[in-house]
Amino acid sequence: MPGADLFDLTGRVAVITGGAGLLGVQHAEAIASAGGLPVLVDIVGAEALAATIGVAHGVDASAAIADVTDEAQVEALRDTLLERYGRIDILINNAANNPKVEDAGGFAASRLESLPLEQWSDDLAVGLTGAFICSRVLGAEMARRGAGVIVNIASDLAVIAPDQRLYREAGRADDQQPVKPVSYAVVKTALLGLTRYLATYWAKDGVRVNALSPGGVAAGQPEEFVRRLSDLVPLGRMAQPDEYRGAVVFLCSDASSYMTGQNLVVDGGRTSW
């Protein structure tokens, strides 16, 4: 197939934070399908997931436990990977909290007026500070070698505000309606700023930095929510978990060699309306 080699990631070591999560596993599958060596990094063990992916694609997939908010742990991860592989080629900053619109008791603590400060701080620590730390530690190693790719996983909510009508429930007062927490939108929007900053900062060092903004992913949500969200999407549905694999391979491979500092929106057309 002409040009297929542009998407070839054979032998490239790709660190995926939040690697045990819904999209983290899909990113790892994407890397492995192109011949890359995915490293699933999470605060929980992902060895079984890595083994399954490695066998399925015939690559050396691995897993590591690390807290992305702890710089010492990320530095230790870097040293371990350099000892094992001798290089780090790709970083996918995927780790993030996905704060709930209400707690188990049905209280809408997600509202701006009642969002716990601890949750705000934790959401920013994982989704934004974690991306900064991983980029600083692993990106600096790429810059030292003169080549590398960083992909920040943002969201369609980095481009538009959350449509809180998606979460409304009949019979509840306005000040008790569940909402998408402000911290999620702030983190995802800030990742676009981090993307542009790093792209220009390390351009001369051969490190490309882009963002991917996915739309909503079907993952067993209530039927009414799925219907409401699908009505906001020109393609008329939510994404399947594996529908971002092609975009990930594109951004991580030489197929996007003249692209940096950009945000690739893959949202079924939602932000076009």
Side-chain angles (χ1 to χ4, degrees):
M1 177 178 174
D5 57 332
L6 289 174
F7 298 89
D8 184 17
L9 296 175
T10 298
R12 300 188 195 182
V13 179
V15 176
I16 303 159
T17 68
L22 176 66
L23 286 185
V25 172
Q26 295 297 328
H27 302 333
E29 290 274 9
I31 295 296
S33 70
L37 311 179
V39 181
L40 286 70
V41 177
D42 214 307
I43 57 173
V44 297
E47 290 82 4
L49 290 170
T52 299
I53 292 170
V55 170
H57 299 282
V59 300
D60 180 16
S62 61
I65 295 178
D67 181 348
V68 297
T69 69
D70 186 327
E71 190 161 16
Q73 291 190 36
V74 177
E75 290 173 340
L77 171 67
R78 174 201 60 200
D79 296 344
T80 298
L81 295 178
L82 290 177
E83 182 177 354
R84 174 170 180 172
Y85 298 107
R87 56 190 291 159
I88 298 169
D89 302 286
I90 298 164
L91 167 64
I92 301 178
N93 281 315
N94 174 75
N97 290 343
N98 188 15
K100 305 304 180 185
V101 299
E102 60 183 2
D103 64 21
F107 177 64
S110 58
R111 296 192 65 83
L112 184 69
E113 297 85 353
S114 54
L115 183 77
L117 184 58
E118 293 81 7
Q119 180 179 330
W120 164 271
S121 299
D122 189 52
D123 292 346
L124 265 66
V126 176
L128 183 57
T129 303
F132 165 71
I133 290 174
C134 289
S135 295
R136 177 160 76 175
V137 174
L138 305 181
E141 171 59 26
M142 297 179 196
R144 185 189 66 79
R145 287 183 49 244
V149 171
I150 298 174
V151 177
N152 293 318
I153 305 300
S155 167
D156 54 359
L157 299 187
V159 181
I160 56 175
D163 188 337
Q164 307 296 6
R165 295 172 297 180
L166 291 169
Y167 311 100
R168 286 192 66 84
E169 296 182 2
R172 296 179 67 161
D174 284 348
D175 64 354
Q176 289 298 309
Q177 288 290 342
V179 297
K180 189 69 173 179
V182 61
S183 52
Y184 184 85
V186 169
V187 165
K188 296 304 186 180
T189 302
L191 283 176
L192 301 188
L194 181 64
T195 297
R196 290 187 288 267
Y197 185 96
L198 296 177
T200 53
Y201 188 82
W202 276 325
K204 68 182 185 306
D205 299 304
V207 179
R208 296 190 298 108
V209 187
N210 290 294
L212 171 62
S213 285
V217 180
Q221 296 93 337
E223 289 186 14
E224 179 60 17
F225 174 83
V226 174
R227 183 193 66 76
R228 290 178 181 178
L229 181 53
S230 297
D231 285 345
L232 299 177
V233 178
L235 290 185
R237 63 178 178 84
M238 298 180 71
Q240 293 302 308
D242 63 356
E243 288 192 284
Y244 300 108
R245 291 187 188 182
V248 168
V249 173
F250 169 70
L251 291 175
C252 292
S253 69
D254 294 342
S256 59
S257 60
Y258 194 56
M259 181 177 176
T260 197
Q262 302 304 309
N263 178 34
L264 180 59
V265 181
V266 185
D267 66 350
R270 180 183 178 187
T271 55
S272 298
W273 272 342

